[in-house]
Amino acid sequence: MFEQGRQSNYVFCVTEKEAIVIIGRPREFDREAALDAAMRLFWRKGFATTSIKDLCDAMGIASPSLYAAFGCKETLYREAVARYLCTRGPPLWNKLTQAATARAGVRSFLLAAAEIFPESEATPAGCMAVLGALCDEWPVAIAEDVRNSRLESLRRFRSRLEVAVIEGELPASTDIDQLSRFFIGIFQGMAVQARDGATPVDLKGIVEVAMAAWPTDASD
């Protein structure tokens, strides 16, 4: 990928079938704003059904500029996913890690998702990493990127719940793996339901039902 602000004599205009050498020109657009526009479009439509023309229209640039800045559609999608994870992820994960207890953290995490998952004027509904996996046709590299992001989410839940066991908040007998998968499954299901029109109130109801499954000592 070319470094921002540098100009070369030639750039490689990479299509999905061939590479064409064209005379390079300096980029005259806001790369971050263009990437955000591509992210929202991919989030809404997915990889396979989003065309280069769609992207150029959304980003406000011509195809040579798109290829010069991002290389190809696959590379652009991978950057868009990374952009999604680094901008949309922290507000959620901070809820999990900064709460006083694991239970409060999990509940706050899911309630925050209930607020941001429904469609708004600024963003599509659901979660880009979750929804694309349901019906899109991804190249191998994209599929691996997104799979790794989901596995990282599961790892974060496990890590927080392991601390809860160590601190005595959860019973020592708690199956951390299954409990982590349960709550990640709730999170992913909420993303799908938001795409189907579920409101924040609907999703918050799911959260409260899910939290009723939080383990307690038999003596409580």
Side-chain angles (χ1 to χ4, degrees), residues 5-146:
R6 294 185 59 187
Q7 178 182 358
S8 58
N9 291 330
Y10 297 91
V11 294
F12 290 95
C13 177
V14 182
T15 67
E16 294 174 347
K17 296 183 179 180
E18 61 185 353
I20 305 172
V21 179
I22 64 172
I23 297 177
R25 293 180 296 179
R27 294 195 297 271
E28 297 179 354
F29 65 93
D30 184 330
R31 192 181 190 281
E32 294 301 303
L35 182 58
D36 281 340
M39 178 190 76
R40 290 190 296 271
L41 183 63
F42 279 133
W43 184 355
R44 188 180 301 278
K45 294 189 63 176
F47 176 81
T49 59
T50 299
S51 68
I52 293 296
K53 182 180 184 305
D54 293 335
L55 289 164
C56 289
D57 289 345
M59 299 164 77
I61 61 176
S63 56
S65 293
L66 185 153
Y67 290 126
F70 300 101
C72 63
K73 189 172 105 169
E74 178 178 333
T75 301
L76 175 56
Y77 190 94
R78 295 178 73 182
E79 280 205 48
V81 170
R83 179 77 168 172
Y84 175 86
L85 293 173
C86 74
T87 57
R88 304 287 289 185
L92 284 175
W93 291 111
N94 289 343
K95 300 289 186 182
L96 178 67
T97 59
Q98 295 177 3
T101 66
R103 187 183 191 283
V106 170
R107 184 172 182 274
S108 294
F109 174 90
L110 294 176
L111 287 176
E115 289 288 351
I116 67 173
F117 275 172
E119 185 169 5
S120 69
E121 292 183 3
T123 61
C127 171
M128 185 179 181
V130 171
L131 294 171
L134 298 179
C135 58
D136 210 350
E137 297 178 3
W138 280 336
V140 172
I142 292 176
E144 188 67 16
D145 283 351
V146 178

Side-chain angles (χ1 to χ4, degrees), residues 117 130-131 150 181 183-193:
F117 275 172
V130 171
L131 294 171
R150 292 196 300 267
R181 290 182 183 279
F183 283 113
I184 284 292
I186 295 297
F187 172 78
Q188 292 170 342
M190 288 168 61
V192 176
Q193 294 211 21

Side-chain angles (χ1 to χ4, degrees), residues 159-192:
S159 178
R160 185 64 187 91
L161 298 184
E162 285 169 355
V163 171
V165 170
I166 292 171
E167 294 179 343
E169 181 187 351
L170 284 172
S173 60
T174 301
D175 188 328
I176 296 299
D177 182 69
Q178 290 304 313
L179 190 61
S180 300
R181 290 182 183 279
F182 171 76
F183 283 113
I184 284 292
I186 295 297
F187 172 78
Q188 292 170 342
M190 288 168 61
V192 176

